[in-house]
Amino acid sequence: MTLSDSTSPLSVDIDTLQGGAADLSQYAGQAVLIVNVASKCGLTPQYTGLEKLQKEYADKGFTVLGVPCNQFLGQEPGSAEEIAEFCSATYGVSFPLTEKVEVNGESRHALYERLVGFADAEGHTGDIRWNFEKFLIGRDGTVVARFSPQTEPESAELVAAVEAQLAV
């Protein structure tokens, strides 16, 4: 599977948080960590680690892509403006954020249709379990790793997976 392949997660249409097309194809040749995010979750402090990854590896061909989702106990209830303000003011988020989408169920966004079939290290596939589930997309546009919501962005296993993709 390559970025030009219609099954690549980076070939889907999704809007930015501010509106307008996000054009995920701009990340061709980069490693991308896609994370469903929420502002009012016990895991929300992971924004700190995600931003550290962004700052440390952005100039090496990496980006975090935050995907707001309100499907888990309504923990991302804000408007696009409120989400952007919270992320910027509270965590200094500089990585891109998409529009708010559904990651599970009948209205699951096409991006997540292409992600949920990939298994994590424990063999979990299918529905997103909670906010801050993470998918690493390799430089070739394929899903190369899936991490549980509880996996911290700065964990040894996640950092090693990112660095392995950047070494390709």
Side-chain angles (χ1 to χ4, degrees):
M1 183 171 24
T2 63
L3 184 56
S4 60
D5 185 333
S6 63
T7 61
S8 171
L10 299 180
S11 67
V12 301
D13 292 330
I14 192 167
D15 285 342
T16 67
L17 187 61
Q18 296 77 20
D23 186 20
L24 300 183
S25 67
Q26 69 182 303
Y27 304 116
Q30 295 186 35
V32 181
L33 186 68
I34 300 174
V35 186
N36 62 303
V37 295
S39 301
K40 300 184 182 306
C41 174
L43 300 176
T44 300
Q46 286 190 22
Y47 269 122
T48 299
L50 293 170
E51 182 60 19
K52 284 182 181 175
L53 285 176
Q54 179 71 22
K55 286 186 172 168
E56 182 166 348
Y57 296 108
D59 64 345
K60 297 176 173 101
F62 170 81
T63 193
V64 172
L65 181 66
V67 183
C69 176
N70 195 39
Q71 283 189 285
F72 302 100
L73 297 179
Q75 294 181 343
E76 188 60 274
S79 67
E81 295 77 22
E82 290 167 333
I83 294 167
E85 174 62 23
F86 172 82
C87 290
S88 175
T90 310
Y91 292 100
V93 168
S94 64
F95 54 82
L97 296 165
T98 71
E99 64 183 313
K100 193 180 338 182
V101 302
E102 291 191 10
V103 298
N104 290 331
E106 288 183 16
S107 297
R108 180 184 325 218
H109 192 278
L111 176 62
Y112 278 84
E113 286 290 339
R114 296 182 186 185
L115 295 172
V116 298
F118 194 86
D120 66 13
E122 289 77 44
H124 174 80
T125 60
D127 281 352
I128 302 302
R129 293 163 285 191
W130 200 253
N131 301 308
F132 292 89
E133 192 146 343
K134 301 156 196 75
F135 293 86
L136 181 60
I137 310 302
R139 289 185 184 270
D140 66 355
T142 64
V143 181
V144 295
R146 180 176 185 169
F147 301 94
S148 79
Q150 292 76 25
T151 301
E152 291 288 332
E154 296 174 283
S155 70
E157 67 178 306
L158 197 151
V159 169
V162 167
E163 289 178 347
Q165 289 307 305
L166 296 177
V168 173

